[in-house]
Structure formats: C-alpha cells, structure tokens
Amino acid sequence: MDRGRRRIKHSGAAGMTTAPADIATPGWWQNRSILGRFVKDLVEGELQRLRPGAGDALLKDRTENLEIGPAGLGADSLELITLATALTEALHLHRSGVEDLLLARRQLSEWIDIAAVGLSHYAETVTFRTSGSTGQPKPCQHGLNRLLEETEHLARILGPVRRIVSLVPSHHIYGFLFTALLPQQLGIPILDGRGRLPARVAADLRSGDLLVGVPELWTSVAQSGIRFAPGVRAVTSTGPLALEVFRALEAQGLDKILEVYGSSETAGIGWRASADEPYQLFPYWQLRADGTEISHTGSSLAVALQDKIHLLSPGQFHVAGRLDGAVQVGGVNVFPDRVAAVLRLHPGVQDAAVRSFGGPGALRLKAFIVPRDKAAGPVFAAELRDWAETRLSIPECPKSWTVGEALPRTPLGKAADWHPLMSPEMR
C-alpha cells in the first residue's frame, strides 16, 4: 500500500457512498480535520489519565490555537513529555525522527503539523492502548492495512452512508475505525456530536446518517423515546448492548444497528444486527475450536481472547462474559478488584469491596467500606470520596457508597452482594 492509500469503490446516488469503487483515497492523516481530532482526543485522554480528578472535558477549548503548556492546558514539563511520548507511540513518529519537535512546540496546531509530517513518511502502523483501568494500559500495534480491511468489510455490511456522526473519541481503536478510517475511505463528512445530549444528536439525524456510540449512550437514546428519521443507522461496540435497548431503538425507527465485537488487541472480529442472534465472524478471522484464541488468516497474528467465547459454527459465536473480571462502564474496561485495592490504600480504610450494579448500558460501580475507626462519620466519608476521585478515573469512581463494620458475607462466609445504597454520611 502506498502510505495509506487504498483503492475503494464508490457508487450510489447523491452523496450516498458505499464500498467498493474506483478512486484512490488519500491517507487518513491527510484530512486535517480527522488528524486534528485524533491528536486532540489523544491529548485529552492522556491528561485525564494523568489527572484523574480533573473531570471530563479538559479540552473545552478545542481550537487548534490552544496552548498545551502552562499558558493553556497547564501541562508541566513531565506531563508534556508524557503527552509527546503517547502521541509518538500512537503514530510511530519516531520512524520519521520528528518526535523531538513536539517538546519544542506548544500549540495543538503545531503538534498536528508534526504528526502530519511524520505520517507522510511512515503510516503503516498505529498503536492503541487498552481502555482498561489497570493502571498500566497495554499498547497494541496494528497494521494500517489490516484496519482498512475491516472498514472495507464494515462498509459493505452497512450499505450506503451519507455522513458519520460520532459520539466517541477517535484515538481508541473503535473510534479510529469508524471516525477516522471509514469516513476517509468513503469520502464522506464526519461530525462530532460530543458535548450535546445523545438523544438530541439522534433526533437531528437524517436518512443516510450513521451514528457511532457506545452502549451507555444508546441506553440514554432509548430512554428518551425520540423517533429516528427513516434511513438512520447506528453502530455500537466496547460492550454488549442490552436486548431491551436493541428492541427499543428498533421500535423508535432506527433502520439498522450494527454491534461490533472486538478489543484493542484484535480490532473487530465479529458483528451482529440483532441481540437475538450470534455474532458473525469477519471472514479473515479464524477462531480456535475451544474459543480461547483467534488468528488472522492473512498474517501471523494470533491473540488470546479476554472473553469466554462459545463457537457455534466456523463463522458464528456467542460471548459469555469476561475472563479477567473487567466490567464495562461508559465504554471503558474497569476492574472492580483494582478499585477496591486503591480504596484500601487510604489510611482510614480497613477493608473495601467493589462491585458493579445497574443493567447493561447503565453499569456503574458501588463500594462497601469498612473504616478503621468504627465511629468514623461524615467528615471521613467525604474525605474518602474526594480522595478516591483524585486517584481513580471517572468510570472507576464508585457512584454508591456503603459503610459498615464488616464486609457482607453469606452464612457460609463467602463474599456476598449488597444493595447499592448510599450511606447518609457518604452523600
């Protein structure tokens, strides 16, 4: 492939595009809007990781003139190195030798320029980090050719698309596939719907639009009861979409819902258009018979799976839950055991347990705290909550807190669940 160029087919009427066709598209990074969105999302995501209590939108001003250093985002020298390293790792800027320029330039526009120069020399590999909150996100390298293979296949499944509206960041693999590669491949516009209520964004869609979201956002849209315009399509990933949400969206007039199953390690490996149906394996993947590993038929890539997979036939499978204890909160893999371990680090906490509560698409964490001082009151509780918010990401922060003298146990002494009630002193 010539530095990301790939020939695809365009056909159909009036602004409706589908693969395959006869024109060559430029590399995704040559669309400045798409590249700029990627750089901004990555910087924002890294800053949120570095500053767990800083909130959701560090880049409220998302203009390219924004200063990354002390005069703008306030990144100190150590944070600048971390941000520059993350961008270099993601886009492999070290391959072109331009990465040192990131520390000499402090505006987002300059970082976008540097990324474009680097990608013009080497763009064959992109690295994503796992979205899990284990404290050390794992880098996962992907060849651009293989990612384009997936978006070409997805374009055939989706059919004609007029434009893509995104509710997800573009620097994670799911967002990159659907909001960087797919619109560039198809030559259609990408609109950013973040910052607005998902239901309002959904209500403004028109025929031929594809809305990209995650289960929590789809749950919100389903609860709103909005009616979709005819011909609107949707895609969801990062976690299972509840059957009732699937059906509610269909009843609200959504033309098609594509649920993609995959991970940062593999990208997408299967899809389905109904929660009643098994996933269809993409044709270039092969699942091992015991469902523990998947291999790519066109390369030597083989990856151990994080979920329990039940293979129904060579091309169909069910997913029966995680193997590593992670739960999905807001499209992010969260590990309750890791959150409990962080809470136990507080000097006033003798023990802690953390579990998930809420249904698919609305899952959050709850914490049960055993304080060292049995008489600990509201001051301790408020301090613990604030302390946790500075050490945990937003998806990790418990939304329900319960305080007691001992962790809940069954009569046989095994760990037991508890109702997600917030103790008065924790409010």
Side-chain angles (χ1 to χ4, degrees), residues 33 46 110 134 212 223 286 365 418:
S33 173
E46 279 299 300
E110 294 173 314
T134 58
V212 183
Q223 290 172 342
Q286 189 168 31
L365 296 187
W418 66 96

Side-chain angles (χ1 to χ4, degrees), residues 166-239:
S166 172
L167 297 172
V168 302
S170 59
H171 68 300
H172 294 303
I173 192 164
Y174 169 48
F176 185 75
L177 287 164
F178 279 92
T179 71
L181 292 190
L182 188 60
Q184 183 66 6
Q185 268 188 317
L186 298 182
I188 59 176
I190 168 75
L191 306 179
D192 198 331
R194 292 174 295 175
R196 301 178 65 200
L197 285 175
R200 184 66 256 166
V201 174
D204 289 341
L205 299 174
R206 295 294 175 264
S207 179
D209 286 346
L210 174 70
L211 184 58
V212 183
V214 296
E216 285 76 6
L217 301 178
W218 293 120
T219 299
S220 171
V221 173
Q223 290 172 342
S224 75
I226 68 111
R227 292 290 306 173
F228 288 93
V232 173
R233 296 171 182 182
V235 63
T236 183
S237 190
T238 74

Side-chain angles (χ1 to χ4, degrees), residues 355 407-417:
R355 290 192 176 202
L407 295 182
R409 300 284 179 185
T410 67
L412 296 177
K414 295 183 178 180
D417 201 357

Side-chain angles (χ1 to χ4, degrees), residues 235-310:
V235 63
T236 183
S237 190
T238 74
L241 188 63
L243 179 60
E244 59 268 26
V245 175
F246 229 115
R247 288 177 174 163
L249 294 172
E250 290 173 338
Q252 290 167 233
L254 202 53
D255 183 54
K256 185 178 211 177
I257 311 170
L258 187 70
E259 184 174 9
V260 178
Y261 172 77
S263 68
S264 299
E265 292 88 346
T266 61
I269 65 173
W271 65 276
R272 63 183 178 181
S274 169
D276 295 319
E277 299 175 354
Y279 288 98
Q280 308 294 313
L281 193 67
F282 287 133
Y284 43 83
W285 285 114
Q286 189 168 31
L287 268 168
R288 208 161 84 172
D290 63 3
T292 60
E293 185 179 282
I294 192 164
S295 56
H296 185 256
T297 57
S299 69
S300 58
L301 178 66
V303 181
L305 295 172
Q306 303 295 317
D307 291 324
K308 300 173 187 172
I309 300 292
H310 293 162

Side-chain angles (χ1 to χ4, degrees), residues 6-11 13-19 21 23-28 31 34 148 151 155 161-164 178-190:
R6 194 177 183 91
R7 298 184 70 81
I8 63 172
K9 284 199 160 192
H10 289 247
S11 63
M16 303 290 277
T17 309
T18 185
I23 63 171
T25 56
W28 67 273
N31 183 320
I34 290 177
L148 290 167
T151 49
V161 178
R162 182 175 72 102
R163 62 178 186 172
I164 293 175
F178 279 92
T179 71
L181 292 190
L182 188 60
Q184 183 66 6
Q185 268 188 317
L186 298 182
I188 59 176
I190 168 75

Side-chain angles (χ1 to χ4, degrees), residues 370-416:
V370 180
R372 294 188 184 281
D373 180 359
K374 304 307 178 190
V379 173
F380 161 74
E383 178 198 333
L384 175 60
R385 185 184 56 203
D386 293 344
W387 180 90
E389 288 176 353
T390 64
R391 288 162 175 79
L392 299 169
S393 66
I394 290 175
E396 289 177 301
C397 283
K399 298 303 291 182
S400 168
W401 297 80
T402 302
V403 176
E405 294 186 356
L407 295 182
R409 300 284 179 185
T410 67
L412 296 177
K414 295 183 178 180

Side-chain angles (χ1 to χ4, degrees), residues 49 129-130 132-138 335 338 342 391 396:
R49 188 178 66 82
R129 292 188 184 179
T130 54
S133 37
T134 58
Q136 292 296 332
K138 183 176 68 175
F335 296 81
R338 122 96 179 162
V342 170
R391 288 162 175 79
E396 289 177 301

